Amino acid sequence: MRIKIFPKFVAVMILISVIPLALIGLRMIELNRISLEGAILELQINSASSLAEKIDDYISNLNRELIRVIGSLETHALTWTERQYELQSVLDANPEIINISFVDQEGNEVLKAYNPDLEKETELINHREELLFQKAKTERKTQISSLFCKDELPCIQVFYPLGKEYFLLTNFSLAKLQQKILTTHIGKTGYAYLVNKEGKIIIHPEKEKLFLSARDIPLVNEVITAQVDCSREFKDKTGEEIIGAYSPVKNLAWGVIIQQKKKEAYYPVYQMQRQARFWILISALASAIVAFLLASNLTRPIITLIKGAEKVAGGNFETKVKVPSHDELRQLADTFNFMTAKLKEYADIQVDKMLLEKTKTEAIVFSIADAVILTDHSGKILLVNPQAEKIFHLPEGKWEEQMVWDYLPPVLGEEILDLIAHPDRSFLKEVILPLTEEQKKYFEVRGTLIFTPKGEEFGLLSVFHDVTLEKEIDQMKEDFVNSITHDLRNPLTSIRVLIKFLSEGKSGHLNEKQRKMLGTMEVASYQLLTLINNILDVAKMESGEMHLELAQVNLTDLVGRVLTIQEPLVKRKNLLLELFSSKELELNADPQLLERLFANLLGNAIKFTPENGKIKIVIEDLPEKVKVEISDTGPGIPEEYLEKIFDKFQQLQRTKGGTGLGLTICKYIVEAHGGKIWVESKLGEGSKFIFWLPKTEMQIYPAPNKS
């Protein structure tokens, strides 16, 4: 369907204006989205990192204070009263300490101070059975417990080695850190929580989740092993999309995690995208309106010119067009009007010329020796010459408005109908027209469509060239060759028997020179017999007398036998022979003809491949057929020979010896089995002969017609 210029111009203008705008806008939306999402994730990372740093600072400060106290206790020989005073001063300076005590090697608390604001009353207890104490006693290193709750306060317990006899036991309250974590909120759904090195939640806004394992949350697994801050997106158990960040607490191997629902966290991003798309749409509509108005102003004069041209095409050369503008389109309109005036003058003087040309054309058509028939698309005869009238017995001078189908053979009628249905084709066909029961005429018919100088279809031209004489000469040559070969084969067979008789020494002793002469005679007679047999085989194939002896053939084994026979020639030229076959393949075919096919193709490859060359055989198992490729690294075949290399007696100029029938026989063998053969080659790059045979039940195809 032809699209008019105005909608086409409007579409182009809109596309030019809207598409770049849309692409740039969408790209900017995407860049802004990435930037905003990155900023949101960075905010969460900073929040998690800030909490982790505060915990690290808190633990570090307490640790430094206790190390100072331990240093003071180890350096000075203090009385127990002085030690009690030292412990009490630590409590006064650090209100987060619940209690602090001296523990001996048996785990007994021997001296203890406590913070009455955090612990109502206390007593000396024994820690001998506690794993943390046992580990501190064994390793003589500082041991820190996991977080636990005491009177609903989150606590940790630390054993510090104090000299060789005691340990300093300190219980810390993490209530302030807990409050800081629990009061950290991001939006409505964002919150923070703390996990220990085992992946258990130790501080969380939801108390029922405390001390439960959170290893199923991706952020928890990552923060336990990570040494850096990071963020990511994931889905929770309900399928809700979550974004989160984490930061490790390095002093305690804990991790601070902040997470928030993605739809809330990215709400500003979604809002920005909606607003940006809205303004892009508004801009696109505005651009489309401007493009429409601009296209309308530009195409109106062009449409006027098109309508004027249509009138001129209809033969109205007095048409004038008016364009009310003062630009190049006005100049184009003036040129158009000048052209129509000149066309009118030209049309007035062309009538006589057309009559003269018609007379010349008819004189040429009527004087040529070939029969010519011109018809329209419905098959009505428009023009014939006397030769056509004579051959097809057309009524002389009364053939106008007659249908060509009434006079042509059916096969030609079908070809003409096909040509009318497919104007891009032409046909070349050979037909036989019987004159009498014994006499026939052979014609080479060429059909093609005729077009006017304007490109309009005028009709169908059929030219009939008499090739009867050529056919009779070809038949005489074939009959002569077949007769001679038949007459030569019997005496030649007798000669070969006598040569063999003499070579075996049955008529007397032979010297070396005589044996060499008989060997030469044996080779020459064998080549002559092969030539005769090839000629006779081709004659049988052409006449349909060659019958296939079908049997199950193992294609791989058959190729192996041919390769074994050709092996001496391969070794003599030091060729690399490669065979690629996917598996054992069997076909229902004539084994002798198939072996002859491979022998001819492989023999040609060996013959034309130079020393140290390469020959490759590829057998491919396809769904409905078997495909074989035989390629070599020989000199290649010129392009003009590729189409006729399979014709009888066709040989390249560089070829020495041979009959020119080997590839012809290969073609007949493949086509008799229902397959197809062809060649691909470039000069200097070698040749590749390709054929395929059907895998289904073999259908016997008749040999190709000799013509």
Side-chain angles (χ1 to χ4, degrees):
M1 182 179 67
R2 181 179 296 175
I3 302 175
K4 293 185 177 181
I5 188 171
F6 176 70
K8 187 188 298 184
F9 200 78
V10 169
V12 171
M13 293 294 291
I14 291 175
L15 290 176
I16 291 175
S17 60
V18 172
I19 288 181
L21 176 64
L23 291 176
I24 294 173
L26 293 175
R27 181 57 181 165
M28 292 302 297
I29 290 174
E30 180 65 15
L31 292 175
N32 288 335
R33 179 191 68 79
I34 295 172
S35 177
L36 284 175
E37 289 180 358
I40 292 170
L41 292 175
E42 186 67 24
L43 175 62
Q44 293 200 356
I45 291 175
N46 291 338
S47 299
S49 178
S50 176
L51 286 175
E53 288 176 359
K54 288 180 179 179
I55 296 174
D56 274 330
D57 291 344
Y58 174 77
I59 298 300
S60 297
N61 291 335
L62 288 177
N63 192 46
R64 281 195 298 271
E65 179 65 19
L66 290 174
I67 290 174
R68 182 191 66 77
V69 172
I70 292 171
S72 177
L73 292 173
E74 289 180 341
T75 304
H76 304 92
L78 304 177
T79 64
W80 286 105
T81 302
E82 291 173 334
R83 291 177 180 178
Q84 179 72 32
Y85 176 79
E86 186 71 25
L87 294 182
Q88 191 62 46
S89 65
V90 173
L91 285 175
D92 295 339
N94 298 279
E96 294 86 2
I97 298 178
I98 300 173
N99 57 58
I100 184 169
S101 59
F102 277 81
V103 180
D104 63 15
Q105 292 291 329
E106 300 300 323
N108 298 312
E109 292 181 346
V110 295
L111 183 65
K112 189 173 188 178
Y114 69 96
N115 186 342
D117 294 332
L118 300 177
E119 190 173 38
K120 300 301 181 182
E121 59 184 39
T122 187
E123 60 183 9
L124 299 176
I125 61 176
N126 185 278
H127 299 279
R128 182 173 52 214
E129 302 299 328
E130 295 178 10
L131 294 177
L132 193 66
F133 169 73
Q134 294 174 3
K135 191 173 182 181
K137 180 180 177 181
T138 303
E139 298 180 4
R140 300 301 298 180
K141 293 181 180 179
T142 301
Q143 300 295 328
I144 303 175
S145 71
S146 299
L147 187 140
F148 62 93
C149 287
K150 183 177 182 180
D151 297 329
E152 297 185 355
L153 291 176
C155 307
I156 61 171
Q157 189 177 73
V158 182
F159 277 94
Y160 292 91
L162 184 59
K164 297 181 179 181
E165 298 180 358
Y166 296 99
F167 296 92
L168 187 65
L169 171 59
T170 309
N171 287 292
F172 298 97
S173 170
L174 301 182
K176 289 185 178 180
L177 292 178
Q178 181 186 46
Q179 186 64 21
K180 183 64 179 178
I181 292 174
L182 296 180
T183 56
T184 299
H185 296 285
I186 300 178
K188 295 181 179 179
T189 62
Y191 58 90
Y193 59 94
L194 187 65
V195 296
N196 62 15
K197 60 183 179 181
E198 288 82 21
K200 292 182 178 181
I201 298 174
I202 55 179
I203 297 178
H204 197 283
E206 301 176 21
K207 292 184 178 181
E208 61 271 16
K209 294 185 177 180
L210 291 177
F211 303 108
L212 297 179
S213 176
R215 296 298 292 266
D216 57 335
I217 301 175
L219 293 177
V220 174
N221 286 325
E222 292 178 10
V223 75
I224 292 172
T225 58
Q227 298 298 321
V228 294
D229 304 339
C230 193
S231 63
R232 61 168 295 174
E233 299 179 7
F234 65 96
K235 290 184 179 180
D236 61 12
K237 293 180 180 179
T238 64
E240 181 80 33
E241 290 186 329
I242 305 294
I243 66 168
Y246 58 81
S247 181
V249 180
K250 298 179 180 179
N251 285 331
L252 299 174
W254 294 349
V256 175
I257 298 175
I258 292 179
Q259 66 180 47
Q260 184 182 14
K261 290 184 178 180
K262 181 179 178 180
K263 61 183 179 182
E264 182 196 31
Y266 289 166
Y267 178 76
V269 178
Y270 303 146
Q271 189 176 25
M272 180 273 297
Q273 287 179 326
R274 286 192 294 269
Q275 293 177 353
R277 291 192 183 102
F278 172 77
W279 286 111
I280 289 175
L281 179 61
I282 294 298
S283 301
L285 289 175
S287 299
I289 293 172
V290 172
F292 178 83
L293 296 176
L294 181 60
S296 177
N297 290 331
L298 290 175
T299 57
R300 189 181 296 113
I302 297 175
I303 294 173
T304 302
L305 286 169
I306 291 173
K307 292 180 179 179
E310 290 175 349
K311 292 180 180 179
V312 172
N316 184 3
F317 297 120
E318 297 179 356
T319 302
K320 303 293 181 182
V321 297
K322 296 180 179 180
V323 175
S325 64
H326 301 281
D327 51 16
E328 288 81 359
L329 292 175
R330 173 65 177 271
Q331 184 179 357
L332 177 62
D334 294 340
T335 304
F336 179 84
N337 293 334
F338 178 75
M339 178 191 68
T340 56
K342 290 296 181 180
L343 285 174
K344 188 176 185 308
E345 296 177 7
Y346 178 77
D348 293 339
I349 64 175
Q350 285 302 306
V351 176
D352 294 337
K353 288 185 177 181
M354 291 175 64
L355 292 175
L356 179 61
E357 291 296 328
K358 182 175 182 295
T359 303
K360 291 180 180 179
T361 303
E362 289 180 349
I364 294 172
V365 171
F366 280 82
S367 63
I368 62 176
D370 294 335
V372 177
I373 300 178
L374 180 65
T375 64
D376 63 11
H377 288 85
S378 64
K380 290 182 180 179
I381 299 175
L382 301 178
L383 177 67
V384 297
N385 64 355
Q387 289 77 3
E389 289 180 348
K390 181 179 178 180
I391 294 172
F392 297 106
H393 307 291
L394 293 170
E396 185 176 355
K398 300 179 181 180
W399 38 260
E400 292 186 5
E401 300 298 322
Q402 296 289 328
M403 300 302 292
V404 72
W405 328 115
D406 299 334
Y407 302 96
L408 295 183
V411 64
L412 280 181
E414 294 174 1
E415 292 288 351
I416 293 174
L417 281 174
D418 183 68
L419 182 59
I420 293 173
H422 304 89
D424 56 329
R425 302 178 186 173
S426 61
F427 70 84
L428 176 63
K429 199 171 188 68
E430 189 175 285
V431 297
I432 303 175
L433 297 181
L435 300 180
T436 64
E437 292 184 359
E438 297 181 355
Q439 188 178 6
K440 298 178 182 178
K441 281 279 189 179
Y442 294 85
F443 288 93
E444 186 180 78
V445 186
R446 184 181 299 274
T448 185
L449 289 177
I450 303 299
F451 296 88
T452 65
K454 296 181 180 180
E456 299 175 352
E457 295 181 11
F458 181 72
L460 174 64
L461 180 67
S462 301
V463 180
F464 299 78
H465 177 62
D466 191 347
V467 293
T468 305
L469 180 60
E470 290 90 334
K471 283 292 180 181
E472 291 176 348
I473 293 173
D474 287 343
Q475 187 61 46
M476 291 172 62
K477 288 194 298 183
E478 290 187 12
D479 292 343
F480 173 75
V481 171
N482 292 338
S483 174
I484 290 297
T485 52
H486 273 290
D487 293 339
L488 287 176
R489 185 161 63 172
N490 290 333
L492 184 59
T493 302
S494 299
I495 291 172
R496 286 179 54 78
V497 171
L498 290 174
I499 292 173
K500 183 177 180 182
F501 181 82
L502 293 172
S503 298
E504 292 175 351
K506 295 182 178 179
S507 62
H509 178 71
L510 299 175
N511 57 35
E512 187 62 28
K513 184 176 181 180
Q514 291 171 332
R515 289 184 182 278
K516 187 174 182 180
M517 293 172 64
L518 287 174
T520 303
M521 294 169 64
E522 167 69 19
V523 172
S525 63
Y526 176 77
Q527 291 176 344
L528 183 57
L529 183 61
T530 300
L531 172 61
I532 292 171
N533 287 334
N534 285 341
I535 294 173
L536 292 177
D537 287 343
V538 170
K540 286 183 180 180
M541 291 177 179
E542 289 179 338
S543 62
E545 297 178 2
M546 178 73 75
H547 300 290
L548 301 183
E549 301 293 336
L550 297 180
Q552 285 297 116
V553 180
N554 187 307
L555 195 59
T556 306
D557 292 344
L558 185 144
V559 174
R561 291 197 300 272
V562 174
L563 293 178
T564 302
I565 296 172
Q566 303 283 0
E567 185 176 4
L569 295 176
V570 173
K571 289 183 177 179
R572 185 181 305 167
K573 300 182 74 174
N574 194 27
L575 302 178
L576 174 60
L577 184 59
E578 295 179 336
L579 172 62
F580 297 93
S581 179
S582 57
K583 60 180 180 179
E584 298 289 328
L585 299 175
E586 289 195 354
L587 294 176
N588 188 31
D590 188 315
Q592 292 185 353
L593 291 181
L594 218 56
E595 186 169 337
R596 189 172 183 181
L597 167 66
F598 277 97
N600 283 355
L601 293 178
L602 186 57
N604 280 351
I606 295 172
K607 179 178 180 181
F608 293 107
T609 302
E611 292 185 359
N612 303 315
K614 179 180 178 182
I615 298 174
K616 183 168 68 173
I617 304 173
V618 179
I619 303 175
E620 187 175 357
D621 185 15
L622 301 178
E624 297 182 358
K625 57 190 177 183
V626 174
K627 182 180 177 183
V628 180
E629 298 180 358
I630 300 178
S631 57
D632 59 55
T633 56
I637 302 172
E639 185 176 356
E640 62 269 18
Y641 281 93
L642 293 179
E643 293 295 330
K644 56 185 179 180
I645 195 70
F646 293 100
D647 294 344
K648 290 187 297 184
F649 306 112
Q650 288 294 332
Q651 289 183 300
L652 303 182
Q653 294 180 355
R654 65 171 180 266
T655 304
K656 296 181 180 180
T659 63
L661 295 173
L663 291 178
T664 304
I665 294 173
C666 290
K667 180 181 179 183
Y668 282 137
I669 293 173
V670 172
E671 292 180 349
H673 284 81
K676 181 180 179 182
I677 186 170
W678 69 96
V679 62
E680 298 174 358
S681 180
K682 289 185 178 180
L683 283 177
E685 298 182 10
S687 303
K688 180 190 292 184
F689 285 84
I690 309 167
F691 69 88
W692 59 261
L693 300 172
K695 291 170 62 176
T696 55
E697 186 66 26
M698 185 62 63
Q699 179 180 355
I700 307 305
Y701 289 79
N705 190 285
K706 290 185 289 184
S707 60

